[in-house]
Amino acid sequence: MDDFGTYGDLHVTLGDDHVATAEIRRPPNNFFDLDLIDALVQSFGDLDEENGCRAIVLCAEGKNFCAGAQFGSNGRRGGDIVATNPDGTPRHLYDAAFELFSKKTPVVAAIQGAAVGGGLGVACFADFRVAAPEARFTANFARLGFHHGFGLTVSLPGLVGQQKAIELLYTGARIGGEEAVAIGLADRLAPLDQLRDAAHAMAVEIATSAPLAVES
């Protein structure tokens, strides 16, 4: 496996099996901000143009996959959610998220620990999710008094159905890995120590299919 590039706190490698691994390196909780989502946009865009890449494993270093956005005082917990485009117009975190959803290469996310709030949105951006039993999926926006973010009002019903999605969004219920697989929120279950291998194996299955057929 060769280094493909480092994009801020995101490290990307690409293997001979046509599978790239994009690892978020903000342990232990891997909170995201505009810089991190832009790093995903840039790297996944570059991988879209790389003929040797047919699938991506998205994973995270540390205890949790992603515990949400870096909100805190003044809307931040150390990371910006708004920046300025070269033309002077504002660029919001969700402008970057919208671009992320437009990327073409299939993504398999390996979910350990928490995928909470916006972190659940990052997990649901992926085409597939492989979860450890210890994973915790939570759409906790209503509990905190926030608008549901990262496209979850669209992506979540597509995974679990409209009625179950409404329940999760209204209640902020916490879903473990086994239940996530049972309701369709995750696609496969794997022991924590085998999680990345299982996600990689699924990505290899995708990579063996004809790329143009998968893209179409």
Side-chain angles (χ1 to χ4, degrees):
M1 185 171 290
D2 298 323
D3 280 346
F4 185 81
T6 298
Y7 301 75
D9 293 327
L10 184 74
H11 182 246
V12 182
T13 56
L14 179 60
D16 294 335
D17 54 8
H18 305 293
V19 173
T21 299
E23 182 183 54
I24 300 171
R25 293 181 172 177
R26 290 185 173 182
N29 294 317
N30 295 297
F31 294 111
F32 70 82
D33 55 14
L34 177 58
D35 285 344
L36 182 58
I37 302 304
D38 267 337
L40 289 169
V41 170
Q42 181 63 54
S43 62
F44 286 10
D46 290 346
L47 289 168
D48 280 351
E49 302 302 319
E50 173 57 53
N51 291 331
C53 182
R54 298 183 180 180
I56 302 168
V57 173
L58 176 60
C59 55
E61 183 181 35
K63 178 181 178 181
N64 297 309
F65 172 75
C66 182
Q70 291 189 324
F71 297 125
S73 61
N74 297 320
R76 301 190 301 177
R77 191 192 283 115
D80 289 329
I81 61 171
V82 180
T84 303
N85 289 312
D87 63 1
T89 58
R91 177 174 177 79
H92 191 275
L93 171 65
Y94 287 147
D95 295 323
F98 182 81
E99 292 182 23
L100 185 60
F101 277 91
S102 72
K103 301 309 173 186
K104 300 181 295 184
T105 305
V107 178
V108 179
I111 311 297
Q112 85 282 9
V116 176
L120 176 61
V122 174
C124 290
F125 141 77
D127 299 273
F128 302 97
R129 281 145 299 284
V130 179
E134 297 87 350
R136 304 187 310 278
F137 299 85
T138 310
N140 63 343
F141 301 93
R143 291 287 180 92
L144 299 174
F146 296 159
H147 177 270
H148 304 98
F150 221 97
L152 278 169
T153 52
V154 175
S155 60
L156 197 56
L159 297 173
V160 303
Q162 181 71 19
Q163 198 65 18
K164 190 63 177 180
I166 291 174
E167 178 187 343
L168 296 177
L169 292 171
Y170 283 7
T171 66
R174 176 181 293 183
I175 303 297
E178 293 184 5
E179 185 178 357
V181 172
I183 67 175
L185 182 54
D187 301 281
R188 298 184 183 180
L189 192 71
L192 184 59
D193 61 353
Q194 301 173 32
L195 180 64
R196 291 199 185 187
D197 288 342
H200 187 269
M202 188 175 191
V204 169
E205 291 179 41
I206 297 168
T208 58
S209 296
L212 291 178
V214 171
E215 182 180 340
S216 66

